[in-house]
Amino acid sequence: MSKSILIVDDDREIANLIDIYLRNEGFDTAQAHDGLEALAMLESQAFHLIVLDIMMPKMDGMEVCRRIREKGSIPILMASAKAEDMDKILGLMTGADDYVVKPFNPLELVVRVKTLLRRAYQYTQQTSPSGNEEGLLKLHELTINKSTHSAEVEGRPIHLTSTEFGILHLLASNPGRVFSAEDIFQQVWKEKYFESNNTVMVHISKLREKLEQEMGRKLITTVWGVGYKIEG
């Protein structure tokens, strides 16, 4: 079954361009042209991913993203003319999985979409010293299920984005091993890492906040100047 994607952009020419490229790749698409329309469509239809503009009338993309994250973990790719690092960080802290800057190459956007969908929905069975054939990982009171892309603490679910889950599963699968930001980016995003890229740091920060809220203690440790790890 083909994946369905909601394109949210008040610029109809850009929305139509994205639509054409995604349909050419076999995706089902729908469009919304402001934030309120997007939220209404999400209430009535199921989508696998959202391409979300930031600067829109009635409700901007940041607020749309915040409201979506209150209810679920659908992958969100933000697309915006704002290129400053703080705008990217704010978008990622709000809950976006990835961020592209306008004007973008439509083919690059298609690649980002496919990467996010693969990360969120293409489950693979993996084992580890603390796991089993069903893809379960257990670390103290934390249980991570690769087959359902879910994590819970003593039965309480932790609502993670697909990117946050990918980072958590990577670290938890290798307890005690230190991963640099470059290692994490290349293994989770499957893309080349650029030195100025602070995407990993932002996602680690959000992931830590969610884990510590449920566990009451720190799980991910920073090894200064090297990277991040989870102790077994």
Side-chain angles (χ1 to χ4, degrees), residues 12 76 88 105 120-121 135 158 182 216-217 220:
R12 293 174 185 267
I76 297 174
K88 295 179 184 178
N105 183 329
Y121 301 108
I158 305 174
E182 181 177 358
R217 61 184 179 84
I220 299 174

Side-chain angles (χ1 to χ4, degrees), residues 22-215:
L22 291 177
R23 284 188 175 273
N24 284 342
E25 294 295 323
F27 296 112
D28 292 330
T29 59
Q31 294 185 30
H33 302 293
D34 63 63
L36 293 178
E37 183 185 6
L39 291 177
M41 291 180 70
L42 288 165
E43 289 289 338
S44 61
Q45 301 179 51
F47 294 96
H48 293 92
L49 181 142
I50 303 168
V51 178
L52 179 63
D53 185 33
I54 291 181
M55 302 294 287
M56 292 187 297
K58 298 184 180 178
M59 181 183 293
D60 67 22
M62 294 292 189
E63 181 60 25
V64 173
C65 186
R66 273 190 286 268
R67 296 199 184 191
I68 292 171
R69 284 292 173 255
E70 290 175 357
K71 297 183 178 181
S73 58
I74 179 173
I76 297 174
L77 173 61
M78 276 192 170
S80 175
K82 292 187 171 185
E84 290 81 4
D85 281 347
M86 283 308 300
D87 292 314
K88 295 179 184 178
I89 290 172
L90 181 57
L92 295 171
M93 289 296 288
T94 303
D97 292 276
D98 204 354
Y99 192 115
V100 291
V101 177
K102 296 179 180 180
F104 49 77
N105 183 329
L107 293 176
E108 178 192 356
L109 183 137
V110 169
V111 169
R112 298 286 187 93
V113 164
K114 288 182 175 180
T115 298
L116 285 178
L117 288 171
R118 184 169 60 249
R119 191 186 310 153
Y121 301 108
Q122 184 175 310
Y123 308 128
T124 57
Q125 291 187 340
Q126 298 185 15
T127 61
S128 77
S130 56
N132 58 37
E133 67 279 0
E134 296 180 349
L136 286 178
L137 287 171
K138 281 186 170 291
L139 282 172
H140 311 291
E141 67 270 44
L142 176 67
T143 301
I144 303 165
N145 191 327
K146 178 65 174 177
S147 65
T148 60
H149 254 216
S150 62
E152 59 181 40
V153 175
E154 297 179 336
R156 301 187 305 276
I158 305 174
H159 299 292
L160 304 175
T161 67
S162 59
T163 302
E164 291 163 355
F165 181 87
I167 294 172
L168 175 60
H169 191 270
L170 175 65
L171 297 179
S173 298
N174 300 272
R177 176 179 167 183
V178 180
F179 287 86
S180 68
E182 181 177 358
D183 292 334
I184 294 171
F185 191 85
Q186 290 179 346
Q187 293 202 44
V188 175
W189 277 259
K190 310 295 184 186
E191 295 179 18
K192 183 178 179 181
Y193 180 82
F194 297 96
E195 189 173 349
S196 61
N197 195 324
N198 49 30
T199 303
V200 171
M201 176 192 69
V202 176
H203 283 291
I204 287 279
S205 176
K206 286 292 290 183
L207 176 58
R208 268 188 175 141
E209 180 183 326
K210 293 179 180 181
L211 290 170
E212 290 176 21
Q213 183 175 347
E214 288 298 330
M215 300 181 71

